[in-house]
Amino acid sequence: MRRSGTFVACFLTLVTPVLWGYADPPNDDPLAEVVAALNQERHWYAARLLRSLEIESSNALDASLLAARADAGRNAWKAVARRLYGTIWLDSVGGGEGRYLLARAQLETGEFEAAVANYRKFLDYSVERTPRALAEVGLARAYAALGQAREAAAAFVRAAESLPEFEPWSSIRAAENLATLGDTATVRQLLGRAGGISLYRRTLAEVTALEAAGDSRRAIRALLDAANSPAASRLSADLRTRAAGIHLANADTAAARGTLRTAVRVQPRGARQAAEILAQLPDLSADDHKALGLAFERSRAYVLAADHYRTYLDLKS
């Protein structure tokens, strides 16, 4: 899990100047302190420095790009878009970082079609592995936001091809997109490359694909197999609750009740949702009410817990 978290952080943060071939200016250059501040992730300070400097015309484009990077570093994406939109130098300064930042700004501000267009323009000429991988991830996110699941999955796969270190996280994201289309075979292949991603997340992707393909029986089996695995840890009740939901959608109340009973008894502390559903089903036994009382008590729903404990005592008296 630590590795996959690193991948996520890398995807969602800005690229350092070194990755874009943006060299530090000489020490006597007025932009030197700005670059140093950005390299230290002091984005607000860098923006203030730029506003206070008198920039020579020969440095104007570099200063504009640095200002966009400072805005991006403080998540001021609307400011990035305003600064870069319509400029003619996006592809010629800083290895095309301006084009990348504009695409990212459009992604973050909901202009998904424009983001797709600019990411694709950047990818037309970018040759460095890491910038290409990051651009493919941005492109994938934009496609996903537009509901183009297959295109999103393909971009996530290309990101891993550019930078193999991204493969686990990129593969699970590709699988999650394709799962909505019911492409169980491809989802299974992608999940095989998602080592290090939690069993819970991999299982949900598989189950989404199986449900979309209309195979509820295998979806339930996948959920219960995962719930019985030691790797499920504290999430076994959630997995069983999802399985019970499929049973209920199929009008199989008896199977749902049995699955929920197991959830609240095996993991009462994490079974609040399972307890709430089970409490609404008919034909509950005294032992069911006792288990529900414990589950609600562990989740600090003390009024509900007391109600079920009283029902248990009444049935036992």
Side-chain angles (χ1 to χ4, degrees), residues 175-186:
E176 288 167 344
N177 276 276
L178 285 181
T180 62
L181 304 179
D183 188 348
T184 56
T186 306

Side-chain angles (χ1 to χ4, degrees), residues 30 238 286:
D238 289 345

Side-chain angles (χ1 to χ4, degrees), residues 91 99-100 103 113-126 132 135-136 138-140 143 148 151 155 158:
D91 305 311
R99 178 73 65 185
Y100 173 87
E113 291 182 355
V116 166
N118 278 304
Y119 276 126
R120 292 183 66 173
K121 286 179 182 177
F122 175 78
L123 287 164
D124 282 344
Y125 60 78
S126 177
R132 284 193 66 83
E136 291 285 12
L139 179 62
Y143 275 135
Q148 299 179 36
E151 290 81 357
R158 290 195 300 270

Side-chain angles (χ1 to χ4, degrees), residues 255-287:
R257 184 166 47 242
T259 302
L260 293 167
R261 281 171 173 162
T262 302
V264 298
R265 287 173 179 159
V266 170
Q267 192 191 14
R269 185 179 297 277
R272 172 68 182 268
Q273 185 181 11
E276 289 176 347
I277 298 172
L278 179 59
Q280 299 175 40
L281 298 183
D283 302 325
L284 298 182
S285 67
D287 287 341

